[in-house]
Amino acid sequence: MINEILLIGVGIAGAYMLFRIIKRQLREGKCAGCEFKGKCSK
Amino acid sequence: MENYVISLAGNPNSGKTTFFNSLTGSTQHVGNWPGKTVEKKTGRVKINKACIDVVDLPGTYSLTSFSPEESVSRDFIIQNRPDLVVNIVDATNLQRNLYLTIELLELKSNIAIALNMGRQAEKKGIKIDTGKLSELLRAPVYAVDARDKKAVRSFIAEMLSKKAGSSLSLNIDYGVEIEAHISEIQDAVKDRPCCRHNPRWSAIRLIEEDDELTAALGDDAKTVKKLTEVKQHLYSVFKEEPSIVLAEKRHGAAVGVVQKSVIIPTTHKASRSEQADKIILHRAVGMPLFFGIMLLLFYLTFFLAEPLVSLIKKGVAILSMQVSGYLGGAGMPLIIDSLVSDGIINGIGAVLVFLPNIFLLFFLISLLEDSGYFARAAYLMDNAMHKIGLHGKSFIPLMLGFGCNVPAIMSARSLERKKDRIITILINPFMSCSARLPVYVLFVSVFFAKYQGLIIFLIYLLGILLAGLSAFLFNRLFFRYEPADLIMELPPYRMPPVKGALIHTWERGKEFVIRAGTIIFAAVIVIWFLSSFPYGVEYGSEKSLAGYTGMLIKPIFQPLGFGYWQAAVALLFGAVAKEIVISTFATVYSVGAAELGGVLQSIFTPLSAFAFMAMTLIYIPCIATIAVIKKETNSWRWAGFSVLYSLALGWIVAFMIYQGGKLMGFS
């Protein structure tokens, strides 16, 4: 039972993390650690 | 504490970024090719008791609004009114550099002139009388070596303490005929918000058909009519566009200034750069040499990194065993053990082992950039670019795509024509970025052990060819063909600074490590979950959610030679970031980097592996690239088109490789 709960919990956490990263990338048009971070004037 | 804002303006290759780095202690990459600074970059420095914000503007030859760099520079100077504009001038090319200086002075932009590359000028026998130059330009002129941090800082301190910048407007005499019209337009626009900061400059720009200022006139029908009459009159007098006539006058002024302040040796001895260019830019030698250099680059990327890759593979395997043993011994739930060893260590480790290849590729590209070869490569490619309907300058964003498509697409802003920008952006994802390199390295090491460098080179070449074909197609389908010549400065060759290349390699390579800890980490957890769920199924089996998803889409890949659910899931997650293709294989098979090659042999043949590599290259831009395409084209349509086009093209090319290869007897 504990394993099942852990599996689902980790799955949801991973999916949420991935969703947040993709959402940020789509919004900002940058990849993680991009050299243009914070320097885009447009 | 006093606060100042200063901006650095100058021609491409005048040493602006070096000056910026010396002043701010920054490590912005200095590229020895035009158009490196597309965006303005900012830094902060404290000198004496002053806090100075330094803005490095894009390198431009003039201040028209025809290209994005020029607009960025001009808008910043007009709108932000910096306390000082430092005009970095290349002493070896004074006449050409002075054109921008004259425009800056016309703008009353409070400028101080830093004469850079004085030593090189001296070597060429050029003697500049800085006092005379200062007198003629009515602005302070100092010889400053941009690499000399102390000299740069004391120059800025002196300029600021004396408030020495010239705010005098240098009024070029455009001749009686033109001056009368300038005054006429000046009077008409002097109270308008767009023009009152400098009515004379605005009048000149309006006569030169400046788009931004003309648009700002908007509903002022009377002025617009007067402007049209003036332009028509000037055309009838000079039989040339007024913009050309005015530009010639400014060039004339620059020539005059140089004649009075500079002694140039009459005998011209070909420099080493010029001698080298005779071979490197030779019609018959240039192109083969270019491809030879690229081939060498990929060979070196592969072979020099190999020992380190093997070492990291062993390290990851040991780590995996140790951690797994520790977790088992500590009585952790099985699922945590599986998450850490099957998922995180295998998935991320499979990508991280290729760090040496990535770092080496970036290092070699940095050396090429800094040596001055990039500009030559663009020049060499100009003819080929014209044939596919692109501008020669498009070649630079394409070359940058070998590193990462995101900044490469951003750098397409340096292209003046919208058509060139959009096509360059759309074909950029076919330039094989560093994220795809681990996939190639893994597959060639397993399936093409004897021809590793050559196969990687072929894949890169395939990307270049597809980019060319696509550009040709887009030109015919979406745009009208308009050839445009490449006017590009060829900077002198220089010994690439190893320290600079190392810093640049680290900055770019660091992004790869960050990606491993963010997006790849998250994706690996999701893939591990899909491979384990529902609880109780055999890990990574067809009955898991990953297996089920893969089984659903694998028929699409059947005709391409890799109709296996693992390959289907790998490609599905590879759309997030291409490195994840490898992480997926490692996670679903639950193997470390060292054993990954073995399991791939169970589902791929050399032919299907090559088709899979081609598919990975082409099939979809990663999420960050899709987002930047949308951002730079300002249209979801182009981003959507890029996704659909690359998906279709990827399938067709992989199909042709696999089926064509089979017909030719390959397996």
Side-chain angles (χ1 to χ4, degrees):
Chain A
M1 187 64 182
I2 181 88
N3 281 322
E4 270 183 273
I5 294 168
L6 274 172
L7 174 64
I8 294 169
V10 172
I12 291 172
Y16 179 68
M17 212 174 359
L18 190 61
F19 167 74
R20 286 285 301 270
I21 295 171
I22 291 174
K23 197 176 143 196
R24 199 179 65 224
Q25 288 196 346
L26 282 174
R27 195 178 58 232
E28 296 175 4
K30 297 175 200 160
C31 44
C34 173
E35 64 178 295
F36 281 83
K37 194 176 262 177
K39 287 169 193 149
C40 188
S41 67
K42 294 208 173 179
Chain B
M1 185 177 280
E2 285 184 279
N3 292 306
Y4 294 99
V5 177
I6 68 170
S7 62
L8 309 182
N11 282 190
N13 274 309
S14 58
K16 240 169 9 67
T17 307
T18 308
F19 194 98
F20 178 83
N21 287 348
S22 292
L23 184 57
T24 61
S26 169
T27 52
Q28 288 293 346
H29 178 235
V30 182
N32 194 15
W33 37 270
K36 174 72 189 73
T37 317
V38 180
E39 293 286 351
K40 57 181 186 290
K41 295 190 174 86
T42 55
R44 181 168 284 182
V45 62
K46 280 180 188 163
I47 299 180
N48 301 331
K49 284 180 181 168
C51 180
I52 306 164
D53 283 315
V54 188
V55 181
D56 184 18
L57 297 173
T60 61
Y61 294 106
S62 76
L63 286 181
T64 55
S65 61
F66 297 133
S67 77
E69 301 106 306
E70 291 173 358
S71 285
V72 167
S73 298
R74 198 177 83 165
D75 292 350
F76 183 81
I77 294 170
I78 294 173
Q79 288 160 15
N80 297 62
R81 308 298 299 169
D83 297 294
L84 184 70
V85 177
V86 180
N87 178 206
I88 321 290
V89 167
D90 173 2
T92 61
N93 275 311
L94 192 61
Q95 191 173 305
R96 195 200 60 213
N97 278 243
L98 282 183
Y99 186 89
L100 177 70
T101 309
I102 287 169
E103 285 198 313
L104 287 166
L105 286 164
E106 280 189 314
L107 194 53
K108 283 191 194 172
S109 50
N110 198 32
I111 86 166
I113 296 159
L115 263 184
N116 186 27
M117 305 192 196
R119 255 183 246 165
Q120 288 95 317
E122 261 177 45
K123 273 186 195 167
K124 287 184 173 181
I126 300 168
K127 285 179 190 153
I128 301 171
D129 181 346
T130 48
K132 187 74 184 168
L133 194 58
S134 174
E135 185 192 320
L136 291 167
L137 294 172
R138 302 168 77 188
V141 179
Y142 285 81
V144 185
D145 182 352
R147 289 170 303 180
D148 184 344
K149 289 179 188 171
K150 216 172 146 189
V152 166
R153 289 168 75 95
S154 64
F155 166 73
I156 294 296
E158 193 176 335
M159 289 299 105
L160 289 175
S161 68
K162 287 185 184 169
K163 303 207 180 303
S166 168
S167 55
L168 293 168
S169 180
L170 180 81
N171 289 348
I172 300 289
D173 183 3
Y174 287 99
V176 183
E177 185 70 44
I178 300 173
E179 284 293 341
H181 290 306
I182 292 174
S183 301
E184 203 180 337
I185 301 295
Q186 193 177 332
D187 285 343
V189 300
K190 66 184 177 197
D191 295 323
R192 294 193 66 88
C194 62
C195 310
R196 62 178 164 228
H197 65 92
N198 190 338
R200 177 180 164 84
W201 177 83
S202 305
I204 294 169
R205 284 287 173 235
L206 283 165
I207 294 172
E208 287 183 306
E209 297 184 38
D210 184 286
D211 290 342
E212 280 177 28
L213 280 174
T214 309
L217 280 184
D219 53 348
D220 187 352
K222 201 175 150 195
T223 311
V224 172
K225 187 169 174 266
K226 184 174 281 182
L227 194 59
T228 312
E229 284 168 6
V230 164
K231 284 189 282 192
Q232 280 170 352
H233 177 68
L234 286 175
Y235 188 81
S236 67
V237 173
F238 294 100
K239 307 287 179 231
E240 284 269 30
E241 290 296 332
S243 57
I244 294 173
V245 179
L246 268 75
E248 278 173 357
K249 295 278 180 190
R250 277 194 289 272
H251 275 298
V255 171
V257 170
V258 168
Q259 276 175 353
K260 286 183 182 168
S261 60
V262 183
I263 299 168
I264 300 170
T266 45
T267 51
H268 176 73
K269 193 181 151 199
S271 66
R272 278 187 195 173
S273 282
E274 285 167 335
Q275 285 169 342
D277 277 342
K278 278 185 187 162
I279 302 166
I280 290 168
L281 300 179
H282 190 275
R283 278 187 179 189
V285 183
M287 285 297 263
L289 188 67
F290 169 73
F291 284 108
I293 288 174
M294 297 314 286
L295 185 60
L296 185 68
L297 183 97
F298 298 124
Y299 263 108
L300 289 177
T301 300
F302 193 86
F303 289 111
L304 294 182
E306 183 54 29
L308 258 180
V309 170
S310 304
L311 206 67
I312 300 176
K313 269 185 192 171
K314 281 179 194 158
V316 171
I318 293 168
L319 179 75
S320 177
M321 269 176 15
Q322 295 284 341
V323 171
S324 188
Y326 173 77
L327 291 174
M332 283 279 175
L334 274 178
I335 212 80
I336 296 293
D337 187 3
S338 167
L339 168 68
V340 177
S341 32
D342 297 331
I344 297 170
I345 296 181
N346 284 343
I348 297 179
V351 173
L352 281 185
V353 293
F354 297 107
L355 263 185
N357 300 97
I358 306 279
F359 272 85
L360 203 57
L361 180 72
F362 283 139
F363 180 71
L364 295 172
I365 289 179
S366 289
L367 290 183
L368 270 187
E369 279 182 46
D370 293 344
S371 68
Y373 186 73
F374 251 33
R376 267 83 184 174
Y379 180 83
L380 277 171
M381 284 301 194
D382 190 39
N383 260 344
M385 300 302 271
H386 274 219
K387 282 186 183 138
I388 58 171
L390 271 183
H391 193 277
K393 235 170 138 183
S394 297
F395 182 70
I396 284 177
L398 296 180
M399 282 293 279
L400 293 181
F402 286 143
C404 173
N405 296 130
V406 172
I409 286 172
M410 282 176 150
S411 73
R413 286 181 197 174
S414 64
L415 299 165
E416 280 118 46
R417 295 184 306 177
K418 192 180 172 193
K419 177 199 97 147
D420 291 331
R421 275 203 300 277
I422 291 189
I423 296 180
T424 308
I425 287 170
L426 290 177
I427 63 172
N428 207 295
F430 298 130
M431 307 311 285
S432 230
C433 68
S434 59
R436 281 169 260 193
L437 189 66
V439 184
Y440 307 152
V441 175
L442 174 67
F443 274 79
V444 295
S445 63
V446 178
F447 297 99
F448 306 98
K450 280 186 186 165
Y451 309 100
Q452 294 171 352
L454 182 68
I455 296 291
I456 291 185
F457 174 70
L458 282 179
I459 279 286
Y460 274 77
L461 199 62
L462 176 69
I464 295 170
L465 285 176
L466 289 173
L469 283 173
S470 302
F472 183 79
L473 191 71
F474 297 159
N475 240 307
R476 294 290 179 276
L477 286 178
F478 306 129
F479 302 97
R480 201 159 48 88
Y481 179 69
E482 313 157 54
D485 286 325
L486 173 71
I487 302 166
M488 188 176 213
E489 184 191 349
L490 293 180
Y493 290 102
R494 65 181 181 207
M495 186 57 82
V498 175
K499 191 184 164 195
L502 284 173
I503 291 172
H504 190 216
T505 303
W506 167 242
E507 281 175 350
R508 285 178 174 177
K510 192 175 67 182
E511 288 164 27
F512 190 79
V513 182
I514 293 172
R515 282 156 67 83
T518 52
I519 196 159
I520 298 172
F521 177 74
V524 158
I525 291 180
V526 173
I527 298 159
W528 167 83
F529 167 75
L530 295 175
S531 307
S532 314
F533 194 81
Y535 184 71
V537 294
E538 189 191 340
Y539 179 84
S541 67
E542 284 178 14
K543 288 177 185 162
S544 67
L545 203 50
Y548 181 74
T549 315
M551 294 295 277
L552 266 182
I553 50 173
K554 77 168 194 181
I556 302 171
F557 305 110
Q558 204 79 49
L560 317 184
F562 41 87
Y564 298 93
W565 73 262
Q566 293 91 340
V569 174
L571 288 173
L572 186 68
F573 277 90
V576 175
K578 296 280 169 98
E579 310 93 317
I580 298 174
V581 168
I582 290 188
S583 298
T584 311
F585 280 125
T587 310
V588 296
Y589 279 114
S590 180
V591 288
E595 307 92 50
L596 194 51
V599 297
L600 288 179
Q601 280 176 321
S602 65
I603 60 169
F604 287 100
T605 63
L607 184 60
S608 66
F610 192 70
F612 185 81
M613 283 161 69
M615 185 71 179
T616 307
L617 159 72
I618 310 161
Y619 80 111
I620 197 170
C622 70
I623 295 281
T625 308
I626 296 169
V628 83
I629 293 175
K630 186 261 157 187
K631 202 173 148 203
E632 294 297 310
T633 58
N634 202 20
S635 151
W636 273 116
R637 272 191 192 178
W638 283 123
F641 171 77
S642 173
V643 170
L644 294 176
Y645 177 76
S646 51
L647 277 173
L649 187 68
W651 194 92
I652 292 167
V653 172
F655 178 84
M656 284 166 67
I657 290 173
Y658 184 68
Q659 299 297 343
K662 267 203 333 190
L663 283 176
M664 285 191 274
F666 292 105
S667 60

